[in-house]
């Protein structure tokens, strides 16, 4: 992590003149690296894998831990007490499992509905046409609080996709005022995402530098 990279990203985000929440994507990063972000005022992190979150959890000193990767229902029990937001809820069955696990510990979980706007088979997420109905259904679960939408757009996505997500976000917020977040944009496209209405971004390499994967581990 280079201090200049972090401060440059923060200044770029500030230049848009509105509040944009930075959630650092921390896949493959050590707890020590992650904790260093606090000195720059970045206090939210997002993990992609349950096993990796559990491995580094005891060393973390971050006020907000989000889960941002695809989540299987049988893994919810491991993270329900450890994260403050699950950004990747893409089906009602997953929502019901989160409800069950959070009810058991008397916790209300903030969630985002993940939208597969590009229709890519390799990515999770519900269809754009289903996201508002799914969000409203999840909002009926007493231990879930729907805070908005999340997406991972295809590489090189046209402006129309960014605008389409903003339109869906506005449609949902009109029916569910608490759904204030549009989590969109990573290291390669966070500026485009902000320009098109995102108010939550998930940069990783732009903060930490290029990932170094252990030998034998695929970089997917």
């Amino acid at each position: 992590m280079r201090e200049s990279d972090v401060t440059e990203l923060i200044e770029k985000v500030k230049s848009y003149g509105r509040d944009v929440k930075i959630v650092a994507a921390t896949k493959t990063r050590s707890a020590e690296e992650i904790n260093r972000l606090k000195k720059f005022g970045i206090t939210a992190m997002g993990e992609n894998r349950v096993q990796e979150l559990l491995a580094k959890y005891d060393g973390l000193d971050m006020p907000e831990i989000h889960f941002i990767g695809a989540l299987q229902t049988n893994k919810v029990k491991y993270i329900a007490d450890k994260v403050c937001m699950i950004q990747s809820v893409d089906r009602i069955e997953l929502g019901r499992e989160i409800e069950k696990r959070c009810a058991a510990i008397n916790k209300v979980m903030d969630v985002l509905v993940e939208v597969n706007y590009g229709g890519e088979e390799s990515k999770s997420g519900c269809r754009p046409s289903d996201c508002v109905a799914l969000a409203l259904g999840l909002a009926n679960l007493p231990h879930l609080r729907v805070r908005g939408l999340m997406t991972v757009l295809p590489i090189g996505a046209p402006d129309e996709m960014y605008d389409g997500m903003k339109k869906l976000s506005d449609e949902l917020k009109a029916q569910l005022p608490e759904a204030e977040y549009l989590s969109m944009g990573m290291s390669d496209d966070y500026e485009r995402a902000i320009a098109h209405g995102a108010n939550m971004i998930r940069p990783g390499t732009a903060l930490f530098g290029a990932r170094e994967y252990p030998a034998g581990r695929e970089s997917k």
Side-chain angles (χ1 to χ4, degrees):
M1 179 194 299
R2 296 191 307 174
E3 183 170 330
S4 59
D5 291 339
V6 181
T7 55
E8 179 183 1
L9 183 144
I10 291 172
E11 289 306 311
K12 284 181 178 179
V13 171
K14 287 181 177 177
S15 72
Y16 286 88
R18 54 188 176 84
D19 289 336
V20 176
K21 189 174 188 67
I22 300 171
V23 179
T26 54
K27 183 170 65 174
T28 77
R29 305 302 178 180
S30 69
E32 182 181 7
E33 287 180 283
I34 296 164
N35 294 340
R36 285 176 58 196
L37 291 172
K38 285 178 63 180
K39 80 173 194 175
F40 302 100
I42 297 175
T43 57
M45 57 167 284
E47 273 293 332
N48 287 74
R49 298 187 176 104
V50 171
Q51 186 173 0
E52 188 171 344
L53 172 59
L54 298 178
K56 68 180 71 167
Y57 180 77
D58 287 343
L60 293 172
D61 183 26
M62 291 288 278
E64 294 186 37
I65 301 176
H66 297 215
F67 192 80
I68 61 176
L71 182 59
Q72 298 173 346
T73 54
N74 64 353
K75 298 291 180 67
V76 174
K77 60 187 175 184
Y78 299 113
I79 66 168
D81 63 335
K82 296 177 174 63
V83 303
C84 66
M85 177 180 281
I86 297 174
Q87 295 201 19
S88 47
V89 182
D90 59 358
R91 57 200 186 280
I92 194 67
E93 293 80 10
L94 178 56
R96 289 175 180 145
E97 182 64 19
I98 297 169
E99 164 68 23
K100 172 185 171 182
R101 298 297 174 178
C102 286
I105 58 175
N106 194 29
K107 175 179 180 176
V108 176
M109 181 71 74
D110 283 349
V111 301
L112 302 182
V113 171
E114 182 176 4
V115 183
N116 186 349
Y117 202 92
E120 296 176 280
E121 292 185 5
S122 62
K123 292 178 181 173
S124 57
C126 68
R127 294 183 300 182
S129 58
D130 295 336
C131 73
V132 172
L134 173 58
L136 294 175
L138 293 168
N140 288 324
L141 300 173
H143 293 86
L144 269 64
R145 184 167 67 150
V146 178
R147 301 304 309 278
L149 303 178
M150 184 270 261
T151 193
V152 181
L153 292 179
I155 295 173
D159 288 349
E160 289 77 12
M161 286 191 177
Y162 291 87
D163 291 335
M165 278 301 305
K166 180 60 165 64
K167 183 177 180 180
L168 289 173
S169 176
D170 290 343
E171 181 182 345
L172 175 59
K173 189 176 179 182
Q175 300 182 63
L176 202 64
E178 287 186 328
E180 62 180 303
Y181 288 117
L182 174 55
S183 178
M184 178 171 71
M186 298 183 291
S187 290
D188 291 337
D189 70 334
Y190 70 88
E191 289 190 84
R192 281 186 75 197
I194 296 171
H196 288 270
N199 57 4
M200 181 183 285
I201 59 172
R202 309 181 308 278
T205 56
L207 293 170
F208 297 103
R211 292 190 178 97
E212 294 183 6
Y213 289 88
R217 179 172 173 177
E218 295 181 2
S219 59
K220 63 183 179 178

